[in-house]
Amino acid sequence: MALTSEQKQTLLEEVKAFLNITWQDEHTDTKIMNFINSSISRLNAIAGLDLDYSLTDDTLSKYEKQANQMGKELLLVRCFYLNEKAHDDFEENYKRELLSLSRKGRVINRIKELENHAP
C-alpha cells in the first residue's frame, strides 16, 4: 500500500516527534524521510506484505491490524537506530519482534490465499 503525500507528511512528523526533533530543516526532513522509506521497504520485506503504517484502514482483520501496529512501532524504532547510526544493532536487538512480524505476515498471506481459493 503506497502512502499518500499527506500520510508521508504525518509519518514524518510522528518520527520526528519520536526522535525529539523539534526544529524545521529541509536537510533533516529529507534524511528522516529516507529513514522512513528504507524502514518501510525493510519491514514490508520481513512481513512479506505491504503494511499500513498510517493505521487508517478499519476494514482489516485482527491479524492485519496487529501486523500494522507492530510494523509502525518497529518503523519508529528502526528510524531511531538509523538516526543514531546503529542500524546493524536494530535487527539484532529486535530479532524476536521481527520474527513475530514475519510470522504474522505469513499467517495473513495464508488466510488471503485460502479466501481466494474458497468455493
Side-chain angles (χ1 to χ4, degrees), residues 25-93:
D25 174 53
E26 188 175 329
H27 175 73
T28 301
D29 287 358
T30 300
K31 179 178 80 169
I32 300 302
M33 203 65 227
N34 288 337
F35 293 165
I36 292 168
N37 291 330
S38 168
S39 296
I40 287 173
S41 294
R42 182 68 182 128
L43 294 171
N44 285 351
I46 290 169
L49 54 100
D50 290 338
L51 299 170
D52 175 12
Y53 297 92
S54 64
L55 305 177
T56 56
D57 192 344
D58 290 333
T59 65
L60 301 176
S61 71
K62 174 179 93 172
Y63 296 111
E64 289 171 307
K65 288 178 183 178
Q66 289 173 351
N68 290 335
Q69 182 64 42
M70 180 177 277
K72 174 82 173 267
E73 291 167 6
L74 288 168
L75 179 135
L76 292 171
V77 174
R78 188 172 190 273
C79 287
F80 171 80
Y81 275 77
L82 290 171
N83 193 51
E84 297 297 317
K85 297 173 180 50
H87 81 281
D88 292 340
D89 295 330
F90 170 75
E91 291 203 17
E92 182 63 31
N93 293 343

Side-chain angles (χ1 to χ4, degrees), residues 6 10 14 38 43 107 112:
E6 183 179 304
T10 300
E14 289 174 352
S38 168
L43 294 171
V107 167
K112 287 180 180 181

Side-chain angles (χ1 to χ4, degrees), residues 97-115:
E97 291 85 352
L98 294 169
L99 182 59
S100 178
L101 180 64
S102 175
R103 287 180 180 151
K104 285 183 190 309
R106 281 185 278 171
V107 167
I108 292 164
N109 285 330
R110 181 65 178 145
I111 290 170
K112 287 180 180 181
E113 184 179 304
L114 291 172
E115 287 172 350

